[in-house]
């Protein structure tokens, strides 16, 4: 069923508690050999209306499983302890999910200090020290913490930047930065949603979006990493491109809360390097935990 415009995608729920299951699957193919990395987690979302048009979002992760044969148990433990810092983050947003501020930033800063102190007793070396320094500096800057959470997948796939008011002629687009297409690189993807990609009925609204690499701004990072890793490529014909970038968001038509969100990315840099990434988040019942 075609939706009736204008469509106002904003948060309407007064207060709600939801459970979600999140999965991240990454397939990296180098010289024909594929390595898989997988992360699964369950989390609890509390959404609360503070006052007119202002909402409080709190997400608590209580079950996290990281499967990657190339990571040791010690490395997985290190990553898990750092990730736990974020369980106390509370975001204050407007009705369209736009970030207003991070609540209780001083609590986060204290938690960083304590976490770093504990980790430094077991994890030493330059890489660990660099991580500790980065964490301490990062959590001093509220805007960076907020931006990172809205880009982070278990937040960003619920509190999405495509919330907004849509006219039939709209062609909304946003830039999203990725760091996981290849080590030591960043790349910007321009996401775009068009009203004709929306499907709705009385209960559900489906919003679909695509992505493209808008410029060659950071390509040299990728070429440099290919050289360091001794992965052969043809500089005249091989360049970073997306074979696929497709996102689908299923929303409750009344509350505009995300029920399910899936994003599939297929990245290509010549015959010797490809990556496929699948993000998936789905609302589940308490009984499904």
């Amino acid at each position: 069923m075609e939706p009736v415009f204008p469509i106002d995608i904003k948060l309407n729920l007064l207060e709600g508690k939801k459970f979600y299951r999140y999965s991240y699957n990454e397939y990296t193919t180098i010289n024909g050999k594929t390595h898989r990395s997988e992360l699964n987690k369950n989390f609890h979302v509390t959404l609360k209306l503070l006052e007119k048009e202002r909402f409080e979002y709190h997400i608590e992760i209580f079950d996290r499983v990281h499967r990657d044969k190339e990571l040791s148990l010690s490395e997985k433990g290190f990553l898990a302890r750092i990730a736990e810092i974020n369980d106390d983050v509370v975001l204050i947003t407007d009705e369209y999910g736009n970030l207003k501020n991070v609540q209780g930033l001083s609590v986060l800063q204290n938690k960083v200090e304590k976490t770093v102190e504990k980790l430094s007793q077991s994890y030493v070396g330059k890489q660990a020290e660099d991580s500790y320094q980065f964490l301490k500096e990062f959590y001093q800057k509220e805007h960076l913490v907020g931006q990172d959470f809205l880009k982070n997948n278990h937040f960003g796939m619920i509190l999405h930047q495509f919330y907004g008011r849509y006219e039939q002629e709209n062609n909304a687009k946003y830039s999203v930065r990725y760091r996981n297409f290849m080590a030591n690189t960043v790349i910007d993807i321009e996401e775009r949603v068009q009203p004709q990609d929306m499907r709705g009925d009385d209960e559900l609204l489906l919003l679909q979006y695509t992505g493209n690499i808008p410029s060659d701004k950071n390509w040299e990072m990728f070429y440099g990493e290919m050289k360091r890793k001794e992965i052969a490529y043809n500089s005249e014909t091989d360049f970073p491109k997306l074979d696929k970038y497709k996102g689908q968001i299923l929303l409750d038509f009344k509350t505009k809360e995300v029920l399910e969100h899936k994003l599939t990315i297929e990245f290509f840099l010549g015959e010797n390097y490809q990556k496929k990434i699948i993000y998936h988040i789905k609302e589940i019942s308490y009984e499904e935990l």
Side-chain angles (χ1 to χ4, degrees):
M1 175 179 165
E2 296 297 326
V4 178
F5 291 92
I7 297 177
D8 213 17
I9 302 180
K10 63 181 181 179
L11 300 167
N12 299 324
L13 195 66
L14 298 182
E15 182 165 0
K17 298 179 180 180
K18 303 279 186 174
F19 291 97
Y20 288 90
R21 180 163 291 143
Y22 168 85
S23 66
Y24 170 88
N25 285 278
E26 181 182 285
Y27 305 84
T28 305
T29 302
I30 301 176
N31 295 324
K33 184 178 180 181
T34 300
H35 169 77
R36 179 183 179 186
S37 179
E38 178 185 355
L39 174 63
N40 295 295
K41 52 191 174 186
N42 295 327
F43 54 91
H44 175 217
V45 180
T46 304
L47 173 66
K48 184 187 300 182
L49 177 65
L50 299 179
E51 55 196 50
K52 185 179 180 181
E53 299 178 351
R54 285 174 67 88
F55 290 82
E56 175 187 290
Y57 252 96
H58 181 208
I59 296 186
E60 300 170 278
I61 299 172
F62 52 87
D63 181 24
R64 182 187 288 110
V65 179
H66 195 144
R67 297 186 179 93
D68 189 328
K69 293 180 180 179
E70 293 186 3
L71 292 178
S72 67
L73 289 175
S74 178
E75 289 172 317
K76 291 178 183 178
F78 180 80
L79 293 173
R81 292 295 299 276
I82 290 177
E84 286 173 0
I85 296 171
N86 297 336
D87 291 350
D88 291 329
V89 172
V90 175
L91 302 180
I92 307 301
T93 77
D94 66 11
E95 60 186 332
Y96 292 110
N98 296 313
L99 181 69
K100 293 301 183 183
N101 64 279
V102 178
Q103 183 171 291
L105 189 62
S106 61
V107 174
L108 280 176
Q109 293 165 349
N110 291 334
K111 191 169 183 179
V112 169
E113 292 290 338
K114 291 179 181 177
T115 299
V116 167
E117 183 180 350
K118 288 182 180 179
L119 288 174
S120 62
Q121 298 171 10
S122 303
Y123 302 94
V124 296
K126 186 179 186 308
Q127 189 172 355
E129 287 298 327
D130 288 346
S131 296
Y132 302 151
Q133 187 62 33
F134 171 80
L135 287 170
K136 289 179 179 180
E137 293 177 359
F138 179 82
Y139 281 95
Q140 295 298 316
K141 302 170 183 175
E142 181 180 31
H143 70 286
L144 289 182
V145 177
Q147 287 175 7
D148 186 67
F149 270 90
L150 294 183
K151 291 177 181 176
N152 188 294
N153 293 290
H154 62 265
F155 275 90
M157 294 185 80
I158 298 177
L159 204 58
H160 201 267
Q161 57 193 354
F162 284 130
Y163 279 54
R165 186 174 180 84
Y166 288 87
E167 302 291 344
Q168 196 150 9
E169 296 78 21
N170 279 10
N171 192 0
K173 60 183 179 181
Y174 302 90
S175 182
V176 181
R177 173 158 288 187
Y178 285 86
R179 295 182 175 88
N180 55 345
F181 284 8
M182 186 181 289
N184 304 310
T185 65
V186 297
I187 197 162
D188 295 315
I189 304 297
E190 187 178 85
E191 293 182 341
R192 184 185 301 268
V193 62
Q194 296 177 328
Q196 58 261 38
D197 293 327
M198 294 184 188
R199 299 291 181 271
D201 57 30
D202 292 339
E203 298 180 356
L204 302 175
L205 175 67
L206 178 65
L207 185 154
Q208 301 185 78
Y209 61 97
T210 57
N212 69 287
I213 301 173
S215 74
D216 59 0
K217 177 181 175 182
N218 296 313
W219 287 9
E220 287 303 321
M221 291 184 180
F222 288 85
Y223 294 139
E225 190 65 18
M226 293 283 275
K227 290 176 182 177
R228 280 190 290 274
K229 295 290 177 61
E230 298 182 343
I231 304 172
Y233 69 95
N234 186 323
S235 59
E236 295 184 358
T237 59
D238 295 341
F239 54 90
K241 69 175 184 178
L242 297 174
D243 285 347
K244 184 178 182 179
Y245 192 102
K246 183 178 181 180
Q248 292 185 310
I249 307 174
L250 186 66
L251 300 107
D252 182 301
F253 199 87
K254 292 182 179 179
T255 67
K256 302 306 187 295
E257 277 200 305
V258 173
L259 303 176
E260 186 171 5
H261 186 167
K262 186 174 184 180
L263 172 60
T264 302
I265 306 170
E266 294 179 7
F267 175 78
F268 177 89
L269 207 168
E271 292 298 323
N272 296 320
Y273 189 90
Q274 299 95 40
K275 175 161 288 197
K276 182 176 182 179
I277 301 172
I278 302 172
Y279 302 104
H280 188 210
I281 185 169
K282 185 175 183 179
E283 182 184 355
I284 58 175
S285 66
Y286 179 80
E287 290 73 22
E288 292 179 86
L289 292 173

